[in-house]
Amino acid sequence: MVSENASEGTVRDDEPCMPDEELLYDLADLFKVFSDTTRIKILYALFDQPRAVGDIAETIGATQSAVSHQLRILKQARLVRFDRDGRSIIYSLADDHVHTMLAQGMTHICE
């Protein structure tokens, strides 16, 4: 059923509602964070266990400086979180959603 004349570009009643422009912008920004291989490697390094920057750097074969820079971006996107352990900072995935996004993305490209 069409709520108004379809030729005028209106939305049909059975079509999903378009999210607010600001939400779409935020979603696009989130997906941009996933566009860097180093950031993806960091997320996978944190997939199963929390790690310090040095451990992440060693695991993915990058410098600590490069890892720290990318972790800042991942923190801003709320994909990773950190906890202090004495003088060390330990990073982990922010929540189960991040785990799910990585797993679903991998499943999608492997099909």
Side-chain angles (χ1 to χ4, degrees):
M1 180 173 172
V2 176
S3 59
E4 294 182 31
N5 187 339
S7 65
E8 295 175 10
T10 57
V11 177
R12 293 171 29 149
D13 289 341
D14 60 346
E15 290 180 5
C17 185
M18 182 63 67
D20 179 87
E21 191 73 25
E22 186 174 335
L23 286 175
L24 293 172
Y25 181 81
D26 291 344
L27 182 60
D29 277 347
L30 174 65
F31 283 117
K32 286 178 191 175
V33 174
F34 286 97
S35 70
D36 182 88
T37 305
T38 301
R39 289 192 289 265
I40 295 294
K41 287 179 182 179
I42 291 169
L43 292 172
Y44 266 99
L46 299 173
F47 205 73
D48 293 324
Q49 65 181 353
R51 298 176 185 260
V53 174
D55 189 23
I56 296 168
E58 185 177 320
T59 300
I60 70 169
T63 65
Q64 287 190 22
S65 176
V67 169
S68 293
H69 172 74
Q70 298 302 336
L71 282 167
R72 183 172 40 84
I73 294 167
L74 292 167
K75 283 190 298 187
Q76 288 173 342
R78 296 179 304 168
L79 296 174
V80 299
R81 63 182 177 86
F82 66 94
D83 294 302
R84 290 200 180 273
D85 182 20
R87 296 182 66 189
S88 297
I89 298 177
I90 306 300
Y91 291 89
S92 60
L93 296 181
D95 55 40
D96 288 339
H97 296 116
V98 180
H99 192 277
T100 301
M101 286 188 285
L102 289 170
Q104 288 292 317
M106 190 59 76
T107 299
H108 180 76
I109 64 168
C110 289
E111 287 183 345

